[in-house]
Amino acid sequence: MTFRVVFDICEQELPDAEAARVFLDKQTLMIGPHGTRAHAFWFAPSGADDVLRLDIDYDNARAALRWLPDGGHAVEQPPAEPIVVLESSDSPLATIPAELAVLSVETAHRAVIEYIATGQRPSLVRWADDATTRKK
């Protein structure tokens, strides 16, 4: 199965986990038009609806990872600060709440690579659903 990633106003095919690793490694160096290394990425099988959303701020070493089919989000660290990411050059920057931005960059990368390798929700992270987050 081939996957794709959508980011800013671009789309790229990811045929395997190695392609995902190379893509994410390159993103660590990409400075957006807003002047920071903070971006939103949507992953899915080619031709299908988005399944996994990654919001990542390399400058602040925080990420948010959401499993879109059930609204769950990955949890690793306690909340610190919100992150601000570029969703699209055609839109204002998006603020991702601190309660969602609770992954390290390394864990976020590993989880996306696992998703591309298996096509399943990454098992290396703990997942919480939105209802659990709203109760806090």
Side-chain angles (χ1 to χ4, degrees):
M1 177 183 314
T2 299
F3 293 84
R4 62 156 172 82
V5 57
V6 174
F7 56 103
D8 192 4
I9 54 173
C10 303
E11 183 172 329
Q12 181 175 327
E13 293 294 318
L14 299 173
D16 55 31
E18 178 60 15
R21 185 194 62 74
V22 169
F23 172 80
L24 291 168
D25 285 350
K26 287 180 181 177
Q27 297 313 305
T28 65
L29 304 174
M30 300 303 291
I31 298 172
H34 57 297
T36 67
R37 298 178 307 137
H39 310 278
F41 303 99
W42 292 265
F43 298 89
S46 294
D49 291 338
D50 297 329
V51 175
L52 189 67
R53 177 177 171 150
L54 171 65
D55 296 288
I56 193 160
D57 182 339
Y58 293 103
D59 296 326
N60 290 303
R62 299 292 260 196
L65 188 67
R66 289 179 264 181
W67 187 252
L68 302 175
D70 68 10
H73 70 277
V75 179
E76 177 187 31
Q77 308 171 23
E81 298 289 328
I83 60 175
V84 178
V85 300
L86 175 74
E87 287 183 326
S88 170
S89 297
D90 296 337
S91 304
L93 297 175
T95 300
I96 309 303
E99 294 77 23
L100 296 177
V102 291
L103 283 184
S104 67
V105 167
E106 179 182 313
T107 298
H109 279 201
R110 288 181 21 233
V112 168
I113 292 166
E114 179 185 344
Y115 168 67
I116 299 299
T118 66
Q120 303 297 312
R121 185 169 84 165
S123 62
L124 69 88
V125 294
R126 184 170 59 92
W127 292 92
D129 65 27
D130 284 345
T132 302
T133 303
R134 284 192 293 268
K135 291 178 187 175
K136 291 182 180 177

